[in-house]
């Protein structure tokens, strides 16, 4: 009876040790690796949100300050027309097309307001707050 009890206890100890070891190697360690990967991805996403928010705020500020798109280049600005070199543009020259209308200041302010709202949403997402749509 005593040897049967010892064998039972030895089997119980070894079995539980192997079971715990199996759980550790099959569940806990892979989960730890995945958590580290998720934390790294989270850091990358937070920095991307920071950069996007800064860019949106900068563009909105530039729009409010009145800065707009650069002026279109005139023909011959890149390649001079009068023998400036051996490289010359080929093909059909553009005809006088209607230029795009320049956005008005109120359009710029409305766009800047929308960009600021988007930047606030990004800040809220970075802080983990729920977004209102």
């Amino acid at each position: 009876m005593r040897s049967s009890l010892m064998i039972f206890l030895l089997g119980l100890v070894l079995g539980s040790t192997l079971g715990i070891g199996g759980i550790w190697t099959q569940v806990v360690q892979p989960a730890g690796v995945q958590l580290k990967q998720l934390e790294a991805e989270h850091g990358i996403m937070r920095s991307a949100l920071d950069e996007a928010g800064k860019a949106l705020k900068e563009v909105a500020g530039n729009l409010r300050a009145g800065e707009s798109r650069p002026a279109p280049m005139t023909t011959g600005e890149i390649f001079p027309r009068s023998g400036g070199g051996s490289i010359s543009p080929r093909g059909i020259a553009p005809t006088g097309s209607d230029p795009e209308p320049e956005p008005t200041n109120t359009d710029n302010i409305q766009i800047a307001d929308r960009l600021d709202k988007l930047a606030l949403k990004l800040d809220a997402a970075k802080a983990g707050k729920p977004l209102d749509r």
Side-chain angles (χ1 to χ4, degrees), residues 6-20:
M6 282 300 283
I7 291 174
F8 173 74
L9 288 176
L10 186 61
L12 183 66
V13 168
L14 285 175
S16 63
T17 303
L18 290 174
I20 291 172

Side-chain angles (χ1 to χ4, degrees), residues 20-93:
I20 291 172
I23 289 173
W24 178 260
T25 59
Q26 297 296 317
V27 177
V28 176
Q29 284 180 337
V33 170
Q34 284 184 343
L35 280 174
K36 287 179 184 175
Q37 289 174 345
L38 286 174
E39 286 174 355
E41 290 174 5
H42 181 69
I44 291 169
M45 294 304 292
R46 284 185 72 86
S47 65
L49 284 174
D50 287 340
E51 290 298 319
K54 287 177 188 175
L56 286 173
K57 289 174 186 174
E58 182 180 331
V59 170
N62 288 345
L63 283 173
R64 283 197 180 90
E67 296 178 22
S68 63
R69 307 179 280 193
M73 297 175 70
T74 59
T75 307
E77 211 172 301
I78 295 176
F79 298 110
R81 289 194 176 243
S82 58
S86 63
I87 300 175
S88 62
R90 299 183 190 269
I92 301 172

Side-chain angles (χ1 to χ4, degrees), residues 65-129:
E67 296 178 22
S68 63
R69 307 179 280 193
M73 297 175 70
T74 59
T75 307
E77 211 172 301
I78 295 176
F79 298 110
R81 289 194 176 243
S82 58
S86 63
I87 300 175
S88 62
R90 299 183 190 269
I92 301 172
T95 58
S97 61
D98 294 334
E100 291 184 25
E102 191 67 29
T104 62
N105 196 25
T106 56
D107 291 340
N108 287 345
I109 291 173
Q110 288 174 349
I111 293 171
D113 289 341
R114 287 178 51 204
L115 291 175
D116 280 335
K117 286 179 185 177
L118 286 175
L120 289 174
K121 283 185 180 182
L122 287 178
D123 289 341
K126 185 176 59 175
K129 297 176 185 173

